[in-house]
Amino acid sequence: MLGQGFVSAASIAASVLFILSLGGLSNQEKAKRAVWYGIVGMAVAVFFTAFGPGIGGYWWMVPMMIVGAVVGVYVAKKVAMTEMPQLVAALHSFVGLAAVFVGFNADLERRRVLASQLAEGATEGFSAFAALVATKTPAELTFLQIEVVLGVFIGAVTFTGSVIAFGKLAGKVDGKPRQLPGGHLLNAGAAVLSLLLAILYLNGAGFWTLLLLAALAFFIGYHLIMGIGGADMPVVVSMLNSYSGWAAAAIGFTLSNDLLIVTGALVGSSGAILSYIMCKAMNRNFINVILGGFGGSKGPAAEIEGEQVAIDVAGVASALNDADSVIIVPGYGMAVAQAQNAVSELTRKLRSAGKNVRFGIHPVAGRLPGHMNVLLAEARVPYDIVLEMDEINGDFANTDVAIIIGSNDIVNPAAEEDPNSPIAGMPVLKVWEAKQVFVSKRGQGTGYSGIENPLFFKENTRMVYGDARSTIDSLVPMIE
C-alpha cells in the first residue's frame, strides 16, 4: 500500500498531464501527443488511487479493473469513427451513474457512523471513508450532505440525459423534439420537488428522500434531452460532457479526493466553455441549452419552390475539370459512408491539376464537435486547407464549385431566409453563393434533423444521389 505522500504527488502529476492534454487538443498537429498525456495521466490516477492508504477489497477491485480495461479495449477497437458521438454519450452516462451510486453509498456510510457512534473511537471493521466521516464536525457533516445531494442530482440528470442522447445519435430514439404534456412546467415542477426533498434530507429526513430526489433527477434528464431536436445534438453532447465533469467534482468533494475535484472541474468548465462557443456558432441561447428549451419549430415552414435536379458523376467531373477553385463541405453523411479517404484522394488529384481546393467546416458538422476535423486528419488532408466557417464563408461568392458531402442543416439557407425554421438564425455555410453546387446525398429525404433544405431546389444546385464513397471513387479517375 502506498503512502499519502505518493498519492498526493501522483494527483498533482496527473492533474498537470490532464491540463496538458486539454491544451494540446486545441491543435490538430499536437492532438496525438495530447491524447497520450491524458492516457498516462489517467493510468497514474487509477494506480495511485487504487493502491493508496485506506483502500482495500483488492480481491474484487483488481479483477473489476481488468474487466473494465478489457471491455474498454474491445469497444475502442470495435466502434467506428461514425459511432464515436454515441460512444461519448454512453461514457457520460457511466460517470453520472457512478456519481449516483457514490452519493448513495456515502450517505449510507454516514448513517452507519451516526448509528454506531463511531466518532467516539470504535473504528474497527469500518471503511476508510466511514473513519473519515467519524472525524467530521456537525458543520462538516452538513457540507457532506450538500455534496451528496449535488452529486446524486447532477449525476442522475447526466445519466438519463446521456442515455437519451445516445439513443438519438444511434437512431434508436426519434431525433425530433418530444415532450410530455406540460412541457417545461413538468421540468420546473420536478426541480422544485427536488429542492424540497433536498431540504428535507438536510434536515434529517430518511434515505427515502435521496431515492426520490434521484428519481426526479432521472426524469429531468430524460425530459430535457427528449425536448431537444436532432439538429442541436452536438451542443447537447458537449453540455452533457460538462454535466459529467461537475458530477465527478461533486464525487471528489464527497470522497475528499483532490484529483477527482480537479479533473471534474477541468471537464466541467471546458465542456461548458465549448458549449458556449458552439451556442454562439449556432446563434442559440446558452441558458436555453441548459434548460433543454431549443430545437423545435417556431411555426409553419416556408413553402419550397422548384425541384431537385439530378446529375451524373461525369457531369460533376466536367465541372470540376473546368473549375479553378473548389470548396468541399463535409457532413455526417461523409462519416456514415466512410468516404474521408476517397475525399482525400479527390483533393490530391484536384490540387495536382492546379486547382485551389479548400474545406469549409461548420462548428457543429457531424454529431460531435470537431467530428469532421478528426476524419479529415485521419485521411491525411493537409491542415492548412481545412478552414472554419468564419474563415471561408466570404469566399463562396468567388468559388467555381462547392461540393457538399452528406451535409444538410449546416448548409441550409432556411436559417437565413425562413424565420419559422427550427434553425432560424443559425449561422450556416453559404454554399449557394458558389457558381455551381453539387450535393452528394443518399436520397431525397430530409436527413437526421427532419428539416427540408431549400438548397437542394436552387437553380445552381445539382444532386448526386448514391453512396458518397462510391460516388467519389467513380469521380477521381475522371479528374484530368
Side-chain angles (χ1 to χ4, degrees), residues 192-265:
V192 170
L193 285 175
S194 297
L195 179 61
L196 293 175
L197 287 168
I199 293 172
L200 288 173
Y201 168 72
L202 293 174
N203 282 277
F207 185 69
W208 61 270
T209 53
L210 210 54
L211 291 174
L212 286 180
L213 176 72
L216 287 170
F218 282 141
F219 169 77
I220 292 173
Y222 156 80
H223 204 230
L224 281 176
I225 307 306
M226 281 298 294
I228 297 175
D232 300 312
M233 289 311 294
V235 184
V236 172
V237 173
S238 176
M239 200 68 235
L240 288 170
N241 179 54
S242 178
Y243 291 168
S244 69
W246 298 125
I251 295 173
F253 280 109
T254 301
L255 299 177
S256 297
N257 187 307
D258 294 337
L259 182 57
L260 264 179
I261 295 171
V262 171
T263 304

Side-chain angles (χ1 to χ4, degrees), residues 108-417:
L108 291 172
E109 288 286 78
R110 180 187 67 86
R111 293 177 186 277
R112 188 181 183 192
V113 168
L114 296 176
S116 64
Q117 297 183 340
L118 183 60
E120 296 179 6
T123 60
E124 187 176 350
F126 286 87
S127 68
F129 178 74
L132 176 65
V133 171
T135 65
K136 291 182 180 293
T137 65
E140 290 173 333
L141 286 175
T142 299
F143 276 108
L144 174 64
Q145 288 181 276
I146 294 173
E147 293 158 10
V148 167
V149 166
L150 291 175
V152 169
F153 183 82
I154 299 173
V157 170
T158 303
F159 173 67
T160 49
S162 298
V163 169
I164 297 302
F166 169 84
K168 289 196 172 191
L169 290 166
K172 300 179 184 298
V173 177
D174 191 350
K176 295 181 180 179
R178 305 283 187 189
Q179 286 188 327
L180 297 173
H184 296 302
L185 290 177
L186 285 175
N187 295 335
V192 170
L193 285 175
S194 297
L195 179 61
L196 293 175
L197 287 168
I199 293 172
L200 288 173
Y201 168 72
L202 293 174
N203 282 277
F207 185 69
W208 61 270
T209 53
L210 210 54
L211 291 174
L212 286 180
L213 176 72
L216 287 170
F218 282 141
F219 169 77
I220 292 173
Y222 156 80
H223 204 230
L224 281 176
I225 307 306
M226 281 298 294
I228 297 175
D232 300 312
M233 289 311 294
V235 184
V236 172
V237 173
S238 176
M239 200 68 235
L240 288 170
N241 179 54
S242 178
Y243 291 168
S244 69
W246 298 125
I251 295 173
F253 280 109
T254 301
L255 299 177
S256 297
N257 187 307
D258 294 337
L259 182 57
L260 264 179
I261 295 171
V262 171
T263 304
L266 284 173
V267 174
S269 57
S270 60
I273 292 169
L274 178 59
S275 299
Y276 177 74
I277 293 172
M278 293 174 68
C279 284
K280 288 187 66 177
M282 296 177 67
N283 195 34
R284 301 298 190 189
N285 185 287
F286 185 66
I287 301 301
N288 281 349
V289 176
I290 299 174
L291 299 178
F294 65 104
S297 178
K298 303 175 183 178
E303 293 289 335
I304 298 178
E305 299 180 355
E307 61 178 353
Q308 297 184 22
V309 180
I311 191 173
D312 58 17
V313 175
V316 178
S318 177
L320 287 174
N321 285 326
D322 293 338
D324 292 321
S325 58
V326 178
I327 296 178
I328 301 173
V329 178
Y332 189 65
M334 184 184 78
V336 171
Q338 298 184 18
Q340 60 268 26
N341 290 311
V343 170
S344 178
E345 178 60 20
L346 174 64
T347 302
R348 187 196 64 77
K349 195 82 177 286
L350 288 170
R351 296 184 78 193
S352 296
K355 304 180 189 304
N356 180 22
V357 183
R358 292 173 295 166
F359 286 78
I361 308 297
H362 194 280
V364 295
R367 298 287 190 269
L368 197 68
H371 198 176
M372 296 301 104
N373 301 76
V374 171
L375 291 176
L376 294 175
E378 178 189 40
R380 301 186 181 279
V381 172
Y383 298 135
D384 60 333
I385 66 170
V386 180
L387 306 178
E388 299 299 322
M389 177 179 64
D390 293 340
E391 298 176 292
I392 203 167
N393 232 3
D395 296 348
F396 282 105
N398 300 316
T399 299
D400 295 320
V401 174
I403 303 177
I404 318 304
I405 304 174
S407 296
N408 193 334
D409 301 317
I410 62 173
V411 294
N412 193 334
E416 295 188 352
E417 300 169 357

Side-chain angles (χ1 to χ4, degrees), residues 68-135:
V70 170
V71 171
V73 171
Y74 172 78
V75 171
K77 288 185 175 181
K78 183 178 179 181
V79 173
M81 283 301 299
T82 53
E83 299 171 331
M84 196 59 64
Q86 48 262 49
L87 174 62
V88 171
L91 294 177
H92 290 164
S93 72
F94 295 157
V95 177
L97 193 58
V100 174
F101 286 151
V102 169
F104 285 166
N105 186 68
D107 187 66
L108 291 172
E109 288 286 78
R110 180 187 67 86
R111 293 177 186 277
R112 188 181 183 192
V113 168
L114 296 176
S116 64
Q117 297 183 340
L118 183 60
E120 296 179 6
T123 60
E124 187 176 350
F126 286 87
S127 68
F129 178 74
L132 176 65
V133 171
T135 65

